Amino acid sequence: MTAIAAPALKPGFADPVFASQASFRSVLDAMSYPGRIRTVSAAIDPPAPLDPALAALALTLLDFDTPVWLDAAAAPAAEWLRFHCGTPIHAEPGAARFALVADAAGLPGLDGFAIGEDRYPDRSATLLLQLPALSGGEPTRWTGPGIDGAVVIAPQGLPEGFWSLWSLNAQLYPLGVDVILVSGREIVGLPRTVTVEV
């Protein structure tokens, strides 16, 4: 009998403990201070189509107890995520605690994701949206907790009508989804508490 060779999987973090801690600090900082661009410095060579920051956040935030939904563009990385994170992958967005979206232009409506429950608003989804760039797009003005006055952010590649959907999401507070915008090695936190003016 001959062994059947399994397809080679790219490695995860070179130093899992240090890299995941550093990436987690970046996420905490990004969500605590919305609108501030943060850099994820972990050394990682992710499988296509994941950007380094998206892959690093996945390795940091996902585990066997955090179901994830992948859009069609991120689906080729499913086996890599299963191997390195042990995360269950769900076909329905509403069943997932995290969503990895490698092609934000095809993002389904935000109301299709878990928004939490009245007694447990933390049982909501966090969306990781990969974009072409976090600057150079249509300027938007963000206000809310963690922002000193206001900040202007101009991400590229969000789907048409996204900010209208975001306004409806913000009205659900304390329920609603949270979002982390990702491009290359950069991330920006967009928690449900943020009001965005276009």
Side-chain angles (χ1 to χ4, degrees):
M1 293 181 63
T2 59
I4 298 175
L9 287 174
K10 286 197 168 193
F13 288 137
D15 184 341
V17 173
F18 176 79
S20 61
Q21 289 176 345
S23 298
F24 190 68
R25 282 193 298 271
S26 296
V27 171
L28 283 180
D29 196 39
M31 295 302 282
S32 298
Y33 302 99
R36 292 187 185 179
I37 295 178
R38 294 293 178 247
T39 300
V40 176
S41 59
I44 188 169
D45 178 25
L50 306 186
D51 279 352
L54 185 59
L57 296 191
L59 294 184
T60 300
L61 300 173
L62 304 181
D63 61 23
F64 66 90
D65 201 31
T66 52
V68 66
W69 176 81
L70 308 177
D71 75 339
E79 289 306 314
W80 184 82
L81 292 168
R82 284 193 186 100
F83 180 80
H84 289 292
C85 307
T87 186
I89 296 174
H90 281 271
E92 295 299 324
R97 295 295 299 274
F98 287 91
L100 267 63
V101 180
D103 180 14
L107 176 71
L110 298 180
D111 59 355
F113 296 95
I115 62 169
E117 305 167 16
D118 289 335
R119 293 181 61 190
Y120 303 102
D122 58 316
R123 294 180 178 174
S124 60
T126 298
L127 283 57
L128 310 180
L129 304 186
Q130 184 169 288
L131 302 176
L134 299 182
S135 61
E138 180 182 13
T140 58
R141 183 177 183 270
W142 296 14
T143 56
I147 300 174
D148 184 11
V151 64
V152 175
I153 301 295
Q156 295 182 33
L158 287 169
E160 185 176 350
F162 176 82
W163 294 119
S164 295
L165 296 175
W166 182 255
S167 178
L168 295 175
N169 179 72
Q171 293 173 26
L172 298 173
Y173 184 82
L175 306 181
V177 301
D178 297 310
V179 173
I180 302 174
L181 305 178
V182 176
S183 182
R185 290 190 169 276
E186 296 181 332
I187 64 173
V188 169
L190 179 58
R192 69 194 78 174
T193 53
V194 168
T195 299
V196 177
E197 300 172 20
V198 180

